[in-house]
Amino acid sequence: MDELDELLERNRHWAESVKLGDPEFFRQLSQQQNPRYLWIGCSDSRVPANQILGLRPGEIFVHRNVANVVVHADLNCLSVLQFAIDVLKVEHIMLVGHYGCGGVRAVLDGARLGLVDNWLRHVGDVLQKHRDVFGGIDTASMQHARLCELNVIEQVVNICQTTIVQDAWERGQKLAVHGLVYSLFDGRLRDLGITTTQHGALADSYARALARLGAARGAD
Ligand code: CO
């Protein structure tokens, strides 16, 4: 049996087991999707949105790219954001980074991986912006963790500054933007405390989240 056959066989088993638990599951889900959450995360195979949150198909809308970056000129990510907010009316956007991110590590190491280096420049910009923080961190692993966290915080800012989110808040739509980081080591998500729910609150939540990281660094 080749690899694809094996995957198709797995799929058949999965579909049958879901149907066994809920004979109407696929019929109902095929009518419409009604997710309350949008997940923007890293493409890393170890960070699958549904499994981590224990959610079933239909419960979370997902966009993933290398190093969970939100760029204002990225039509792909912006389209996901716009559809999720304007059409699906999700109430929570979760920007989820993860410790041990290879993209973030490549930036710190100055590694050359190819075309993806150009994409990772956005993480390089985060490093540059917070350059002063890194001098006070002794180990490479702690620097890596800190850049993963700072990258989440900066991408949350990018989400909040899109016209899509700004317009949603302007018209009074209920929408919270969260920044979280996932640990490959214990499977847990950590809230970075930058949750923003309204126009004009971003500067405060950004400052609070950065201050929290500072406090955490002092406690290390
Ligand atoms: Co990653």
Side-chain angles (χ1 to χ4, degrees):
M1 189 186 282
D2 71 16
E3 276 186 56
L4 182 62
D5 285 339
E6 198 178 309
L7 290 174
L8 292 175
E9 184 64 12
R10 281 173 172 272
N11 167 251
R12 197 174 61 76
H13 278 292
W14 173 77
E16 280 171 0
S17 70
V18 171
K19 232 177 148 174
L20 207 63
D22 180 359
E24 290 298 298
F25 182 78
F26 291 111
R27 196 190 61 75
Q28 282 173 353
L29 207 57
S30 67
Q31 308 295 318
Q32 63 162 1
Q33 62 166 336
N34 191 23
R36 292 184 59 212
Y37 315 101
L38 165 62
W39 169 292
I40 300 177
C42 185
S43 297
D44 194 304
S45 62
R46 299 165 294 181
V47 195
N50 283 72
Q51 281 102 322
I52 286 171
L53 295 172
L55 294 177
R56 305 181 81 189
E59 293 184 310
I60 190 162
F61 203 58
V62 174
H63 177 78
R64 291 166 68 182
N65 61 40
V66 174
N68 44 270
V69 174
V70 176
V71 183
H72 290 115
D74 178 4
L75 195 57
N76 183 355
C77 184
L78 291 182
S79 298
V80 170
L81 199 58
Q82 190 261 323
F83 188 80
I85 293 172
D86 294 354
V87 181
L88 297 175
K89 307 225 181 303
V90 299
E91 293 178 9
H92 299 273
I93 299 171
M94 309 163 70
L95 189 293
V96 186
H98 68 103
Y99 295 121
C101 183
V104 171
R105 181 180 290 118
V107 170
L108 277 170
D109 292 349
R112 288 296 303 270
L113 302 174
L115 177 70
V116 71
D117 299 339
N118 297 283
W119 178 252
L120 290 172
R121 268 309 313 164
H122 296 293
V123 182
D125 290 344
V126 175
L127 175 62
Q128 203 59 40
K129 183 172 180 181
H130 296 280
R131 181 56 86 177
D132 55 320
V133 169
F134 288 86
I137 305 175
D138 297 334
T139 67
S141 66
M142 280 305 299
Q143 289 189 351
H144 187 192
R146 190 51 38 88
L147 187 54
C148 290
E149 294 162 344
L150 288 168
N151 186 44
V152 167
I153 289 170
E154 292 298 335
Q155 304 313 324
V156 167
V157 171
N158 287 346
I159 293 171
C160 293
Q161 286 177 335
T162 60
T163 54
I164 304 156
V165 170
Q166 293 281 321
D167 288 352
W169 281 335
E170 196 70 44
R171 63 179 177 259
Q173 187 169 332
K174 188 179 170 198
L175 180 66
V177 184
H178 311 276
L180 302 127
V181 63
Y182 174 76
S183 171
L184 298 174
F185 309 102
D186 63 8
R188 299 292 297 268
L189 282 165
R190 177 179 162 217
D191 183 1
L192 290 180
I194 192 175
T195 295
T196 306
T197 57
Q198 58 180 308
H199 189 71
L202 179 61
D204 277 353
S205 50
Y206 177 72
R208 246 195 336 269
L210 287 183
R212 268 172 61 140
L213 283 189
R217 191 168 69 249
D220 287 334

